[in-house]
Structure formats: C-alpha cells, structure tokens
Amino acid sequence: EAQVTQNPRYLITVTGKKLTVTCSQNMNHEYMSWYRQDPGLGLRQIYYSMNVEVTDKGDVPEGYKVSRKEKRNFPLILESPSPNQTSLYFCASSDPGSTDTQYFGPGTRLTVL
Amino acid sequence: AQSVTQLGSHVSVSEGALVLLRCNYSSSVPPYLFWYVQYPNQGLQLLLKYTSAATLVKGINGFEAEFKKSETSFHLTKPSAHMSDAAEYFCAVSGWYNKLIFGAGTRLAVHP
C-alpha cells in the first residue's frame, strides 16, 4: 500500500531537548516536504527536498533542520525546541509535476513545554 | 507570489442544505488548485483537484468545485450536507516543486 509514515504520532517534550520526527515514503517519490499546521494559519511549508542530498527552505524554516540521505526518508530535526514550535506537523511526498497529488502522512502532534 | 484566501473561517449549515465554501487564489501562472478535507484528529485527504482540464471538477463524497479564471475563484460545493461532512476544509494552490500554498481553512459544522 502506498503510504507516508511519520513517527512519533504524538510527542510532548520540554524546551531545549533535541528531537527528531521521522518521515518515510514507499512510493519512490523525488519530492518530499514538511508542513506545520496552526489554527487560523492553515499549513505552511517548513522545508522541502527535490531529491537525495538536495533540500531547501520553505516559508517557516527557523528552528528546524532536515536531511535527505536516502530517497525514502526525510527526517525533521528540532535541535532546541521552543514552545512556539508546538504544532501539528505533516510530511508529504510527490513526484515532479504540479498536477501530481501529494501524499500526506498522518501527522505528528508536538507539544513543547 | 501565489496565495489563497478562504472566506469564512467557520460555516454552519443544516443537514440537507447546500454547502458552499469559498476560495480565491492569486497566481501569476495558470494555477493548479486543490481542496483537502481534515476530519477531527485525522490527516489530510484530497477531495478534488483542478489541473487545467475541465473547469468543473467532481471529487469524492459528492463535492465539486468550479474554476472561474475571471473571478480567480475555486469554490467548493455540495448540494446536500450530511452530518459526516463536518470537518475542516483547506483550499490550496500548487507552486514550485509541488509546494502547496494553503488557505487558512474553513471549519464546516452541520447541524440537524
């Protein structure tokens, strides 16, 4: 089954404690993205990757890092989380072509105390 | 730059009534437009997409949307609301590298 998986699904942590949210897709897609969803703001892109070892900033990259060492994986790293990073995070993947549907993961709800 | 505006953060309808969720977009190139639905405590599900073929697009669960270039709109409609349609709906336009630019969302409530 074609899918995007994220782990963990829920996470409560404290300010400053490094964490990683994993994302994996089994569709051999070239493009992958991370979005955060906040009430009244919709979803905003954090980072994206066009292929292995090729990443770039989205609209709200501050406080986040990513890596793309393998085509299927695109982890999101928060080196020093802060309360303003409390949000719902979605990973997405797709192939080149604006008409292509993006496949979204189930989401990770992060709370930073 | 591309942007999406959804008019009305909350919409409430009676069961059986028409659902109309408004979306206006801004794009310097011919847009590809999407509607997603998010049910409570769930992820995003694609309802429908416009990719420059037919201007009236039919999606899942009886929803459809009409692309109107002159009005820069892509409103979502359903003739008869069902209780199960209660959810948050997002309109989005596709940008470079398939980046999706989302509207702020519209929460639909359906009451008996």
Side-chain angles (χ1 to χ4, degrees), chain A residues 31 35 37 40-43 45 48 50 59 88 90 94-102 104-106, chain B residues 32 34 36 38 41-44 46 49 51 88 90 94-105:
Chain A
Y31 295 168
Y35 294 84
Q37 181 184 355
L41 297 176
L43 284 81
Q45 192 185 55
Y48 65 99
M50 296 79 86
D59 296 321
L88 180 58
F90 288 100
S94 64
D95 265 335
S98 297
T99 63
D100 285 352
T101 301
Q102 291 218 30
F104 281 87
Chain B
Y32 297 118
F34 304 80
Y36 285 85
Q38 185 178 37
N41 298 314
Q42 293 192 27
L44 293 168
L46 180 67
K49 62 180 180 181
T51 58
E88 189 157 24
F90 294 96
S94 182
W96 291 106
Y97 299 109
N98 292 355
K99 171 185 177 179
L100 287 173
I101 298 100
F102 286 86

Side-chain angles (χ1 to χ4, degrees), chain A residues 2-113:
Chain A
Q3 61 180 351
V4 178
T5 58
Q6 294 179 227
N7 282 292
R9 295 289 314 280
Y10 302 90
L11 180 59
I12 300 175
T13 189
V14 295
T15 299
K17 186 176 182 182
K18 181 179 178 178
L19 66 92
T20 299
V21 183
T22 65
C23 172
S24 183
Q25 50 96 1
N26 63 0
M27 296 163 279
N28 203 36
H29 284 162
E30 289 188 22
Y31 295 168
M32 297 186 74
S33 288
W34 276 103
Y35 294 84
R36 62 177 287 172
Q37 181 184 355
D38 301 291
L41 297 176
L43 284 81
R44 296 173 292 168
Q45 192 185 55
I46 302 170
Y47 266 95
Y48 65 99
S49 170
M50 296 79 86
N51 214 322
V52 176
E53 302 290 4
V54 184
T55 64
D56 206 349
K57 298 176 181 178
D59 296 321
V60 287
E62 294 76 21
Y64 304 95
K65 285 176 57 177
V66 293
S67 68
R68 187 98 180 268
K69 293 181 170 36
E70 303 167 283
K71 198 170 186 179
R72 62 182 292 127
N73 296 325
F74 190 45
L76 179 69
I77 303 156
L78 285 72
E79 297 252 341
S80 183
S82 62
N84 65 11
Q85 293 178 298
T86 292
S87 187
L88 180 58
Y89 292 87
F90 288 100
C91 181
S93 74
S94 64
D95 265 335
S98 297
T99 63
D100 285 352
T101 301
Q102 291 218 30
Y103 290 78
F104 281 87
T108 295
R109 187 167 293 281
L110 172 65
T111 301
V112 184
L113 303 175

Side-chain angles (χ1 to χ4, degrees), chain B residues 17-80:
Chain B
L18 172 71
V19 175
L20 171 60
L21 304 182
R22 299 177 188 274
C23 172
N24 288 89
Y25 69 91
S26 172
S27 179
S28 56
V29 297
Y32 297 118
L33 295 158
F34 304 80
W35 275 99
Y36 285 85
V37 60
Q38 185 178 37
Y39 297 103
N41 298 314
Q42 293 192 27
L44 293 168
Q45 182 178 3
L46 180 67
L47 270 179
L48 50 82
K49 62 180 180 181
Y50 166 76
T51 58
S52 75
T55 56
L56 182 62
V57 182
K58 294 188 184 299
I60 61 171
N61 301 339
F63 284 94
E64 62 182 37
E66 186 172 8
F67 172 71
K68 291 187 176 180
K69 184 178 178 180
S70 61
E71 299 178 8
T72 62
S73 69
F74 189 56
H75 302 331
L76 182 71
T77 60
K78 182 174 180 178
S80 177

